[in-house]
Amino acid sequence: MNEVDLRDSSPEPFLLFPKDFLWGVSTAAHQVEGGNCNQWSDWELAGRIKSGDTCGKACDWWENAERDFDIARDLGLKGLRLSLEWSRIEPEEGRFDPAALQRYRQMLEALHERGIEPIVCLHHFTHPRWFEQRGAFLRADAPQLFERFTREVAKAVGDLCRFWVTFNEPNVYAACGYVLGEFPPGHKGQLFNALRVNRIQARAHVLAYRALHELVPDAKVGWAQHYVVFEPGQGMASRWVASLLDRLFNHTFFDLIESGRLGFPFGLLNGRNREARGCCDFAGLNVYSRFHVAFDIRYASTFFANVFVPSHVPQGDPGFDRPYGEAYPQAISEAVRRAAGLGKPIYIMENGVPDAEDQIRPWLIVSALRELHGLIAEGHDIRGYLHWTLTDNFEWNEGWKLRFGLVALDPETQHRTLRSSAKLFSEIVRGNGLAVSTMAPAPLSNTLP
Ligand code: BGC
């Protein structure tokens, strides 16, 4: 069934995906809702969005998510991942807002009415200001606060959702907020705090996992792990720094969930959390890029690693002051092989490329799906693919500069236009696969000369 099939109606070989494969898209509350008051709103007010853009109404989901849900239904999508904004639900510590929970009920109901399975994420980078001011995930009591929030959510909407993602990309959250200074709270070089944040998030994940299983009998709970390929340049030193980045970035949270402790040598620093071991029903993978790594004495703040994207590789639009990353569909295979060790079903929770003109997105989608089909044929238990994203949304520090949508958005007018990759993806979803000949030629580069 997962092999190349010859369909009755067509002599053309067809890459058919398993029955019930979850085809969909991913989104995040702050990026689509508009009008949020969280630590990212403060970051924006402090002038930290590189493009100078403001999030504004974003995709206007708080008022009218249903407009995009209609598009998702019309494209034939089966799943849509969204996050619930903690700062709306618990605007002051211990005070939960029934109106916000009601709006989320409405949104989840609207998805069901359109035949779309919701996948709910509880933390996609944003949280209430009061939580940030208390030290966020550096605080020892953060897991209990996160659990209390999770319980309120599960009580309010648990009957409307089976799939739960506790944390989106704990590794990106910790690396960007505590090592690179790119996300709030904007600290640089605080490796030990970054590891502490991940340990505390792993504890919060465990408490949320248990609470969800207690309150939502058929819940499937996991997290979404960002996975990057670090390609070493020539020489031992480059291999060493690339493998250090790989360990720290790709494996820290995985290790915490897989074995209940941080891998060597970081486990020596009291990285034990036995109860986290095996604590997930699926592994979610967010996969986008490859970076090249060369040892360079001048890059002390990144452990002497010069992390770069050669100009000749396929890539989408560049960010404000650097390339976004090499568009590297093969990264999916590396990520899946890493996640397979957990022995749980795997979902690709995000995959995409910033590409306003839709020059390489079709190639990326087709290549990623060919990669996935091959992995399934090898026996990997991959249950779904969610593209990032449905409609262009507010891309964190880059604001409106990077466009990841299958659907183009003019944030001023809220006018939406389907990109050709939306039509391509829709055909794939409806056919539950793609013809082998559906292969756009590999691009060299989208924007670079
Ligand atoms: C994040 C999204 C982000 C996307 C594109 C992912 O790492 O989860 O929030 O928009 O990458 O950069």
Side-chain angles (χ1 to χ4, degrees), residues 26-28 31 81 124-125 168-169 172 183 224 226 286-288 324 349-354 388-389 393-396 398 402 404:
S26 273
T27 67
Q31 295 178 268
R81 181 180 146 210
H124 195 125
F125 300 158
N168 179 68
E169 304 182 342
V172 171
F183 280 15
H226 193 106
N286 296 357
V287 193
Y288 292 79
Y324 179 78
M349 285 278 170
E350 289 183 26
N351 173 242
V353 64
W388 184 273
T389 185
N393 61 34
F394 194 73
E395 177 56 25
W396 307 111
E398 304 284 351
L402 294 183
F404 283 84

Side-chain angles (χ1 to χ4, degrees), residues 141-373:
D141 63 352
Q144 285 72 26
L145 296 171
F146 188 69
E147 179 192 1
R148 183 173 63 178
F149 158 65
T150 302
R151 284 182 179 275
E152 290 297 321
V153 169
K155 280 188 257 163
V157 302
D159 56 324
L160 294 171
C161 180
R162 282 190 301 155
F163 287 101
W164 300 82
V165 173
T166 53
F167 286 98
N168 179 68
E169 304 182 342
N171 52 347
V172 171
Y173 173 81
C176 289
Y178 294 86
V179 181
L180 302 171
E182 294 271 327
F183 280 15
H187 297 308
K188 285 192 178 167
Q190 297 190 358
L191 175 63
F192 291 108
N193 274 341
L195 293 172
R196 179 176 162 82
V197 160
N198 274 181
R199 283 208 316 269
I200 292 179
Q201 285 182 312
R203 171 99 185 107
H205 165 86
V206 172
L207 298 188
Y209 177 91
R210 289 184 187 153
L212 286 165
H213 276 288
E214 189 187 311
L215 296 166
V216 184
D218 58 347
K220 301 274 175 244
V221 187
W223 89 104
Q225 172 79 25
H226 193 106
Y227 192 94
V228 160
V229 172
F230 294 103
E231 188 70 43
Q234 297 292 318
M236 270 256 293
S238 293
R239 283 201 296 279
W240 188 81
V241 283
S243 96
L244 177 67
L245 294 187
D246 179 50
R247 273 239 69 73
L248 285 170
F249 187 78
N250 288 324
H251 299 277
T252 299
F253 206 82
F254 253 123
D255 286 347
L256 282 165
I257 303 294
E258 193 171 46
S259 60
R261 53 177 307 164
L262 292 172
F264 183 79
F266 307 104
L268 300 176
L269 308 163
N270 179 28
R272 212 173 278 269
N273 184 0
R274 281 212 182 85
E275 56 189 1
R277 196 163 160 180
C279 187
C280 64
D281 304 316
F282 62 83
L285 297 174
N286 296 357
V287 193
Y288 292 79
S289 308
R290 172 166 75 166
F291 289 95
H292 290 249
V293 180
F295 177 81
D296 190 324
I297 197 82
R298 291 168 300 177
Y299 290 79
S301 67
T302 47
F303 315 106
F304 303 106
N306 173 15
V307 179
F308 65 99
V309 182
S311 60
H312 64 276
V313 300
Q315 54 190 301
D317 301 332
F320 188 74
D321 53 7
R322 69 190 67 157
Y324 179 78
E326 175 180 355
Y328 191 62
Q330 300 93 313
I332 288 182
S333 294
E334 279 201 30
V336 164
R337 291 186 212 291
R338 169 63 181 93
L342 281 169
K344 306 281 166 102
I346 293 171
Y347 289 84
I348 304 304
M349 285 278 170
E350 289 183 26
N351 173 242
V353 64
D355 185 7
E357 301 303 324
D358 215 28
Q359 293 181 39
I360 70 164
R361 189 176 290 106
W363 165 81
L364 179 95
I365 292 175
V366 169
S367 310
L369 295 179
R370 290 175 71 93
E371 203 76 23
L372 267 189
H373 189 272

